[in-house]
Amino acid sequence: MKDVTRLFVVLLTFLMGRAGGMEPDSGYCIGNQCFTVYQAHHDYMSAQNQCGDDRGHLMTVRSTVARDVLSILLGNSVGRFWIGLHRTSGCPDDATPLKGFQWVTKDTESDYTNWAPGFDSSCFSHRCVSVSKVDDFKWSQEPCDEQAAGFLCEHTFTQMCKSLDAEVGETVTYTTPLRFAGEDLLSLPPGSTAIRVPGETKYVCVEKQWLQAPWNCEIFEGGCEYKCAEDSNHAPSCYCPAGQTVNPANKVTCEVIPDDPCVSLRCAHACVQKGVSYECFCDHGFQLAQDGRSCVDFNDCTDKRLCPGENFMCLNTVGGFECVCKGGFRLIDGKCVDVDECVSAPCEHICENSPGSYTCSCYDGYKEDPESPNNCKLHCGKTECVAECDPNDRYQCFCPDGYVSEEREHETVCIDIDECSSNYCDQDCKNTFGSYVCSCSPGYTLVNQDKCEKIDDDSDGDGGSGATTTSTTPYDTPPVPNPGPTRKPSAVTVGAFVGIIVCTVFFVVLVVFLVHHLLCSRGKMESAAALKVTEEEAHGLHNVKSDT
């Protein structure tokens, strides 16, 4: 009994993570491998990820046997299908059988090649490979981001079962944990089920052997047609709804009975015969209540045999349980493997992965941003630091909050700003590196970080002793005691110097324009005066002639 329990614990662990997902259009198993085909439009990477979700990878066609499997799976298919051959980097190499390509298993071992004519050897050629029935499954180079008609996956197993021998007039139908079924499968992975027809006996594959139903209730409901439960001896058995009974031959299907002795018991879940009488019992994950009819949930996770393996944890559910990975771990090939969060670059600077988590840190000259712990901000921590400058433009420089840049002969530095000289505080001010601290005199309290308000005598619990209240500015830099006087920039920056030159030129041009305008106006006035005198003289001469 212990050996059987161990087998089912192993099988349950194996089946975790295989539930759900896309359902393949067909599949085939031979040796220790199963192959599935999906007729769904995917690019190369999403196809590989889909295979990985089922703990497999894109199909490798290393032999003529694998070539024959292609013919079986794609015999009635139209379009191109991705296989697990690609070129990750570099240029093609005609001197090798795989021409510089490799399998998704990161190796180049192959006893078979089938390249399409006209292979493109340029370094800019397509990096992924697909096959199609139209060109006899030749390996064709394709753009990896192209949407192929489908893809093929490959799954490798251990402890597979051989197909069952069928008696005359009998057929055996198999269903695999990869979600495809068939009658002509030569080998079956663990977790596969088989049904003999017409007897309807059921079997499950566990470590190279077929076990007949009912088996452990946690695996496919024990193979029962209706429901599975454990009796008082923890032995699995099938039961049927009211008015039906379990077939005594196959022990899993239900048959209608004329007189049901369980009707009067009004059992919440199940009724079984015990000797000459009948009694109620409950589904797996429940226990019989004191009234002998009702069923209540109990915590399955109290059984320490459940969810074995490192970094697994048991999660109790109503009537059952789930085996899940602890936080920071992911189920891969039946194991909870640490997720390297650093791959997704969550940290702005340095990321250090740890089991189930990760830690961010910053480069020298930076510190963790308190508002966003994964990001970093410039930090000096003293009166003067070298600025962080663009390597391609030394005039494009940055300083931490509370610092101002100063350009010098060979570098730009950041100098602490003495905010206290700008009277930011209502009363007392203490300068700190990159910030400042406001405080109030005795009898006052600090409000909004920089204002001081008088404390009412009635509300001052200590009789107006005047304990000083302080608060830092929005720079969020902790106060540093006695930072010493802050030196101000000693030279005019390049920007200021350019501004002075521009203003000077503008002023000179304006003066020249005004002088020119005044001179022109004066000249016009003198010309007008001279013309008037001339006209008057001419008029006088005319009068003299008239008198004569």
Side-chain angles (χ1 to χ4, degrees):
M1 180 67 182
K2 290 183 178 179
D3 289 339
V4 174
T5 302
R6 181 190 63 82
L7 291 178
F8 280 110
V9 168
V10 172
L11 179 59
L12 183 63
T13 303
F14 169 81
L15 291 174
M16 284 189 308
R18 290 193 178 275
M22 288 181 60
E23 184 172 329
D25 291 272
S26 63
Y28 188 77
C29 296
I30 184 172
N32 67 336
Q33 293 180 314
C34 288
F35 305 91
T36 52
V37 58
Y38 295 83
Q39 297 188 31
H41 292 281
H42 281 68
D43 60 29
Y44 188 88
M45 184 55 67
S46 62
Q48 170 65 359
N49 291 338
Q50 179 63 46
C51 293
D53 289 343
D54 266 336
R55 292 150 63 178
H57 55 74
L58 284 171
M59 181 178 178
T60 61
V61 190
R62 305 170 185 265
S63 63
T64 55
V65 174
R67 163 63 174 76
D68 293 339
V69 172
L70 280 180
S71 300
I72 295 173
L73 294 178
L74 300 181
N76 298 319
S77 300
V78 177
R80 307 205 65 81
F81 290 76
W82 294 120
I83 62 172
L85 187 62
H86 63 161
R87 177 165 53 90
T88 57
S89 62
C91 300
D93 183 6
D94 288 331
T96 62
L98 293 185
K99 297 183 181 295
F101 285 65
Q102 67 176 20
W103 300 113
V104 289
T105 50
K106 298 182 179 180
D107 67 276
T108 57
E109 180 182 350
S110 188
D111 298 328
Y112 171 80
T113 60
N114 193 24
W115 289 106
F119 181 83
D120 187 352
S121 300
S122 68
C123 295
F124 302 101
S125 59
H126 301 317
R127 295 175 174 270
C128 296
V129 175
S130 67
V131 296
S132 173
K133 178 185 176 183
V134 175
D135 57 8
D136 196 28
F137 308 110
K138 296 289 184 183
W139 299 354
S140 298
Q141 297 163 276
E142 301 289 346
C144 297
D145 58 356
E146 182 174 296
Q147 296 284 319
F151 55 95
L152 299 108
C153 297
E154 176 181 323
H155 309 267
T156 301
F157 301 92
T158 58
Q159 309 293 328
M160 293 184 73
C161 295
K162 295 181 179 180
S163 57
L164 292 168
D165 293 329
E167 302 293 336
V168 177
E170 187 179 56
T171 60
V172 181
T173 301
Y174 303 96
T175 303
T176 72
L178 295 173
R179 301 179 298 282
F180 70 88
E183 297 180 2
D184 56 349
L185 304 180
L186 301 180
S187 57
L188 287 304
S192 298
T193 57
I195 302 178
R196 289 184 183 273
V197 178
E200 295 191 82
T201 52
K202 273 189 177 181
Y203 304 85
V204 64
C205 173
V206 182
E207 291 192 353
K208 293 185 176 182
Q209 56 182 309
W210 291 100
L211 300 180
Q212 186 173 347
W215 53 72
N216 190 295
C217 292
E218 298 167 15
I219 310 297
F220 308 133
E221 199 66 45
C224 301
E225 179 183 342
Y226 183 61
K227 286 188 178 180
C228 176
E230 292 181 354
D231 60 19
S232 57
N233 297 321
H234 301 288
S237 61
C238 298
Y239 69 92
C240 298
Q244 299 183 37
T245 187
V246 176
N247 184 303
N250 58 43
K251 301 180 181 179
V252 292
T253 59
C254 296
E255 297 177 343
V256 177
I257 55 176
D259 297 317
D260 186 1
C262 294
V263 172
S264 60
L265 294 179
R266 296 182 292 120
C267 299
H269 285 182
C271 171
V272 293
Q273 184 176 2
K274 190 173 183 180
V276 296
S277 62
Y278 291 81
E279 64 180 25
C280 297
F281 73 106
C282 300
D283 295 346
H284 180 75
F286 293 86
Q287 58 188 7
L288 198 64
Q290 292 183 352
D291 61 9
R293 298 193 305 268
S294 305
C295 295
V296 294
D297 177 58
F298 73 91
N299 188 359
D300 298 80
C301 294
T302 56
D303 186 349
K304 302 303 180 182
R305 298 173 301 172
L306 301 179
C307 305
E310 189 176 5
N311 300 317
F312 275 104
M313 60 182 291
C314 179
L315 181 66
N316 187 61
T317 60
V318 177
F321 68 97
E322 293 181 9
C323 292
V324 298
C325 293
K326 297 178 181 178
F329 294 86
R330 179 184 178 188
L331 188 67
I332 299 177
D333 294 334
K335 298 179 180 179
C336 287
V337 180
D338 175 48
V339 176
D340 187 357
E341 294 89 351
C342 294
V343 172
S344 60
C347 304
E348 184 177 10
H349 283 184
I350 303 170
C351 181
E352 183 178 354
N353 187 57
S354 59
S357 185
Y358 67 97
T359 304
C360 294
S361 58
C362 300
Y363 298 133
D364 292 339
Y366 291 81
K367 69 174 184 177
E368 180 183 288
D369 187 343
E371 297 182 359
S372 180
N374 287 5
N375 296 325
C376 298
K377 58 188 297 185
L378 285 169
H379 175 66
C380 181
K382 52 186 178 180
T383 303
E384 183 178 302
C385 297
V386 177
E388 184 76 18
C389 298
D390 188 332
N392 299 316
D393 182 3
R394 71 185 188 91
Y395 296 109
Q396 184 72 19
C397 298
F398 305 92
C399 289
D401 292 337
Y403 286 77
V404 64
S405 64
E406 176 183 305
E407 296 174 3
R408 296 181 181 172
E409 183 178 357
H410 299 295
E411 63 183 3
T412 300
V413 298
C414 298
I415 300 175
D416 176 47
I417 299 173
D418 184 4
E419 293 87 355
C420 293
S421 63
S422 300
N423 298 321
Y424 288 157
C425 298
D426 203 9
Q427 292 185 1
D428 300 326
C429 179
K430 178 185 290 186
N431 186 57
T432 62
F433 296 134
S435 186
Y436 63 99
V437 178
C438 294
S439 60
C440 298
S441 302
Y444 291 83
T445 184
L446 194 67
V447 179
N448 296 329
Q449 299 184 332
D450 57 0
K451 302 296 181 184
C452 292
E453 292 184 358
K454 188 174 180 61
I455 301 174
D456 295 334
D457 291 339
D458 294 340
S459 61
D460 190 355
D462 57 2
S465 62
T468 307
T469 305
T470 62
S471 175
T472 58
T473 69
Y475 293 138
D476 285 336
T477 303
V480 179
N482 302 321
T486 299
R487 186 172 61 83
K488 295 191 175 186
S490 59
V492 179
T493 64
V494 173
F497 183 69
V498 172
I500 293 172
I501 293 175
V502 172
C503 292
T504 303
V505 172
F506 176 77
F507 179 75
V508 171
V509 171
L510 181 62
V511 171
V512 171
F513 174 77
L514 291 174
V515 171
H516 176 73
H517 180 72
L518 291 173
L519 290 176
C520 289
S521 298
R522 182 177 179 182
K524 289 179 179 179
M525 292 176 64
E526 290 177 351
S527 298
L531 179 61
K532 183 177 182 181
V533 171
T534 303
E535 289 177 351
E536 290 177 351
E537 289 178 351
H539 182 70
L541 181 60
H542 176 74
N543 291 336
V544 171
K545 288 182 178 181
S546 299
D547 293 340
T548 304

